[in-house]
Amino acid sequence: MNIAVASDHAGYEMKKNVLSWLDGHGHTFEDMGPYSEDSVDYPDYARKVAEAVSKGQVDQGILMCGTGIGVSIAANKVNGVRAALVCGPEFAALARQHNNANVLCFSARYNDMDAIGKILESWFSAEFEGGRHQRRIDKIEPCC
Ligand code: RB5
């Protein structure tokens, strides 16, 4: 699995831990920044990951910011992206099983790495269940 990963300044330290978790669990990844703790704007980084997923350049994305809210809102503006803001392992599994989520988002400020490790384990262990869930996903379209 090839994963695009990015954060904003609030997620910069957590991103390092996430990259080393991915490395240790046999995933390849692209670190899409930022590369320092300087203040940045989360939509710029969410867009990079979301576009890589949308274009099929990577299999999935992982995004984190202070709350995870900003990156998830921004990523979901990109066609074909289903970004899920996840706050625990059960949500991570359900986001994959029911929503076929392709971008995992979480808070870097309100989780420690122990919690994130459990979320990552659960995300990567779960598979999309298809069936009625595919029908529902097919109904998610831009409108208005
Ligand atoms: C940055 O302070 C903060 O607003 C950002 O990381 C994020 O939480 C936005 O949703």
Side-chain angles (χ1 to χ4, degrees):
M1 189 86 78
N2 191 23
I3 316 288
V5 187
S7 68
D8 68 355
H9 51 284
Y12 174 71
E13 281 301 324
M14 178 66 83
K15 175 164 66 67
K16 289 196 224 166
N17 294 329
V18 168
L19 296 179
S20 91
W21 189 97
L22 291 173
D23 200 29
H25 287 76
H27 299 288
T28 54
F29 55 83
E30 235 178 286
D31 179 1
M32 297 195 156
Y35 307 112
S36 81
E37 265 182 320
D38 294 348
S39 183
V40 294
D41 298 332
Y42 62 80
D44 298 334
Y45 291 88
R47 181 79 177 256
K48 287 185 193 200
V49 166
E51 284 189 352
V53 171
S54 176
K55 291 175 183 164
Q57 293 164 347
V58 293
D59 300 305
Q60 293 181 357
I62 299 179
L63 286 166
M64 63 221 84
C65 63
T67 57
I69 296 171
V71 286
S72 61
I73 291 172
N76 276 316
K77 295 292 180 191
V78 176
N79 266 341
V81 167
R82 291 177 299 280
L85 174 54
V86 163
C87 55
E90 296 83 3
F91 284 69
L94 286 166
R96 291 288 306 121
Q97 290 163 349
H98 288 193
N99 311 112
N100 201 12
N102 49 16
V103 177
L104 169 64
C105 302
F106 50 77
S107 163
R109 284 190 176 139
Y110 295 93
N111 285 300
D112 59 20
M113 192 53 207
D114 187 46
I116 295 305
K118 291 185 176 118
I119 285 173
L120 291 168
E121 298 255 2
S122 182
W123 172 269
F124 286 113
S125 306
E127 280 180 23
F128 180 49
E129 291 173 358
R132 68 187 188 281
H133 301 298
Q134 184 61 56
R135 184 182 72 238
R136 291 162 185 165
I137 285 169
D138 291 342
K139 289 185 175 181
I140 303 173
E141 285 180 0
C143 62
C144 310

